[in-house]
Amino acid sequence: MSPQKSKASPLFLIACRRIKRSLRFPRGKGLPIGNLTSQFFANVYLNELDQFVKHCLKARYYVRYVDDFIILSRDRAQLDLFRQKIDRFLQERLNLKLHPKKYKIAEVKAGIDFVGYFIRPDYVLVRRRVVGDFLFRLAKDLHEPSGNWAQIKASYFAHFIWANARGLTRKYG
């Protein structure tokens, strides 16, 4: 979703401006990335979307994490209709837009790239970019020790345990 001029309450916007750290968005738009407040505000602001998808669209399988969401259905036409209705709802009610290049309708068996994992019906892999970031941080720490490698490694391994990544954790554990 990409930000537009907000219809949110002035107090909400003031709070956002105070904690805003991103320089990619014009003044008064966006939320800090990697901050607990961005997760909190996404949950508060997008609760309306959750209620719309669950109660109005009656989507049976809907999952949202911050601003990423998945809806599953056996009916491709229904998914396309959901996308259109969600896009309209976001624009009219929350003044947001679905990113035109970040949504797709695909078969589950092809896999779903979601929140740092590549999820298939019979297994879950850690996203390649996450593994690449881990290896980059490992190489960087070997050349320039930071003193906090144990914490960094623990953070990555906590992510890895939710995937079929036993080989990865054995190799670098």
Side-chain angles (χ1 to χ4, degrees):
M1 289 176 264
S2 58
Q4 297 177 332
K5 187 174 178 186
S6 180
K7 293 179 185 175
S9 75
L11 291 176
F12 180 79
L13 293 176
I14 289 167
C16 288
R17 276 191 215 114
R18 281 191 193 139
I19 59 172
K20 185 177 156 74
R21 298 285 182 260
S22 174
L23 299 175
R24 285 200 286 155
F25 299 110
R27 189 170 172 84
K29 293 186 179 182
L31 290 173
I33 295 172
N35 193 321
L36 289 175
T37 54
S38 63
Q39 295 168 22
F40 172 75
F41 285 132
N43 283 334
V44 170
Y45 199 68
L46 294 176
N47 178 59
E48 279 191 66
L49 172 64
D50 298 340
Q51 300 310 314
F52 174 74
V53 171
K54 288 190 261 180
H55 300 295
C56 296
L57 298 181
K58 302 211 184 296
R60 188 168 179 189
Y61 303 103
Y62 167 73
V63 177
R64 180 180 61 80
Y65 180 77
V66 188
D67 65 343
D68 292 330
F69 64 90
I70 296 173
I71 300 175
L72 301 175
S73 173
R74 294 183 187 277
D75 186 348
R76 185 179 185 90
Q78 182 184 47
L79 289 171
D80 194 47
L81 183 62
F82 282 173
R83 186 205 49 79
Q84 291 170 25
K85 288 183 176 186
I86 289 169
D87 202 24
R88 193 173 323 118
F89 174 84
L90 288 170
Q91 288 184 45
E92 292 172 2
R93 294 291 300 272
L94 300 178
N95 212 16
L96 296 171
K97 286 175 63 175
L98 289 176
H99 193 290
K101 294 181 181 176
K102 292 191 178 179
Y103 69 82
K104 68 179 179 178
I105 296 175
E107 292 189 22
V108 171
K109 67 182 179 184
I112 299 169
D113 187 359
F114 188 65
V115 296
Y117 300 98
F118 188 73
I119 305 162
R120 297 194 78 162
D122 49 343
Y123 62 92
V124 176
L125 298 175
V126 177
R127 184 186 283 163
R128 285 183 188 171
R129 191 185 84 220
V130 174
V131 174
D133 290 347
F134 169 71
L135 296 175
F136 175 80
R137 299 285 297 267
L138 172 62
K140 182 179 176 185
D141 196 73
L142 289 173
H143 287 57
E144 303 168 24
S146 65
N148 62 346
W149 172 245
Q151 293 171 322
I152 293 169
K153 181 179 168 185
S155 174
Y156 277 102
F157 276 50
H159 184 82
F160 297 165
I161 63 170
W162 299 103
N164 299 84
R166 226 179 268 140
L168 184 63
T169 55
R170 245 189 258 130
K171 183 174 182 177
Y172 296 102

